[in-house]
Amino acid sequence: MKPDSFYLSEIEKRLTYGRFVHSLNVADCAKALAERYGADPAKAYTAGLVHDIMKDTPKDALREYVIKSVGGDDRVLMSQKALWHAIAGAYALEHELGVDDKEILLAVRYHTSGRAGMTLLEKIVFTADFISADRNYPGVEEMRVYAFRSLAEAMEEGLNFTIKELCGKRRPIYRDTVDAYNEAVFARMQGE
Ligand SMILES: [Fe+2]
Ligand SMILES: [Fe+2]
């Protein structure tokens, strides 16, 4: 694992200015959520910093990374370009950029799709990505309240938002996202 200063200069090099600022904001939010929920704040900060490291990489290169990492057999995955930067990011961080922390790699890998059985750090980065200071979609203020009140609530809300958005665009939904959504719903129902 290299120091944060190395990852900071890598994202500055690879990302547009707006995306660079977004990454810093997600890192700050992830750290605050880690402090709130008892995860490792330093690790959360690093994961936030690098979560979008491949987001501005051209699609053809991302596709190659996805195929190298998980193969190209999943029709839904291969049709949803928005998911590629997360898989490619985790792959590049592990194989090219010296990240040897499994938790950070998983947090990057699943920050867009979610999955069933997400770790605390995965949930923190997923949620931080929804509430970072640069976000201004309708409902973001409520999301910020949920995020610090209950991570489970924020996850369900975030997954609900993701699935609704995809349905609205008549897009397919990746299996991991459906699994994460169902898990969040059942967790709430059991708590009720
Ligand atoms: Fe992302
Ligand atoms: Fe992001």
Side-chain angles (χ1 to χ4, degrees):
M1 199 77 201
K2 295 184 169 41
D4 279 352
S5 57
F6 169 80
Y7 296 110
L8 191 70
S9 72
E10 278 299 317
I11 61 169
E12 195 173 14
K13 244 185 346 208
R14 290 161 181 255
L15 299 177
T16 61
Y17 181 70
R19 195 93 65 198
F20 174 64
V21 171
H22 164 71
S23 302
L24 296 178
N25 289 335
V26 171
D28 283 337
C29 271
K31 182 173 174 235
L33 288 170
E35 281 160 357
R36 163 74 179 81
Y37 292 109
D40 180 337
K43 208 181 261 203
Y45 187 86
T46 307
L49 212 53
V50 297
H51 81 287
D52 271 342
I53 192 159
M54 298 294 270
K55 183 94 182 197
D56 290 322
T57 301
K59 295 284 178 253
D60 288 347
L62 289 182
R63 186 190 291 107
E64 291 308 312
Y65 275 101
V66 171
I67 290 168
K68 256 195 292 188
S69 177
V70 295
D73 299 338
D74 189 311
R75 186 159 73 150
V76 176
L77 175 61
M78 296 323 288
S79 75
Q80 292 297 294
K81 297 186 184 77
L83 298 172
W84 296 356
H85 74 286
I87 295 167
Y91 188 91
L93 286 164
E94 181 175 8
H95 297 279
E96 297 164 14
L97 294 160
V99 174
D100 54 7
D101 187 304
K102 270 270 164 312
E103 281 188 282
I104 292 177
L105 294 171
L106 288 172
V108 174
R109 167 76 178 78
Y110 292 105
H111 84 266
T112 310
S113 62
R115 65 164 177 148
M118 288 170 87
T119 65
L120 179 57
L121 193 72
E122 287 171 57
K123 290 177 183 174
I124 284 173
V125 174
F126 182 94
T127 302
D129 202 16
F130 271 95
I131 61 161
S132 61
D134 49 287
R135 298 289 197 203
N136 62 2
Y137 56 88
V140 69
E141 287 309 330
E142 288 91 328
M143 227 3 225
R144 290 187 173 119
V145 173
Y146 298 147
F148 284 89
R149 187 167 66 196
S150 154
L151 199 53
E153 206 178 340
M155 287 299 301
E156 185 181 350
E157 215 42 54
L159 288 159
N160 192 305
F161 178 91
T162 301
I163 288 177
K164 259 195 237 162
E165 202 188 23
L166 289 165
C167 283
K169 293 181 185 162
R170 303 294 190 267
R171 306 289 283 275
I173 298 169
Y174 190 41
R175 189 183 306 107
D176 281 346
T177 306
V178 176
D179 289 346
Y181 171 78
N182 287 341
E183 188 182 80
V185 170
F186 282 123
R188 171 174 47 75
M189 288 166 66
Q190 275 156 14
E192 273 169 3

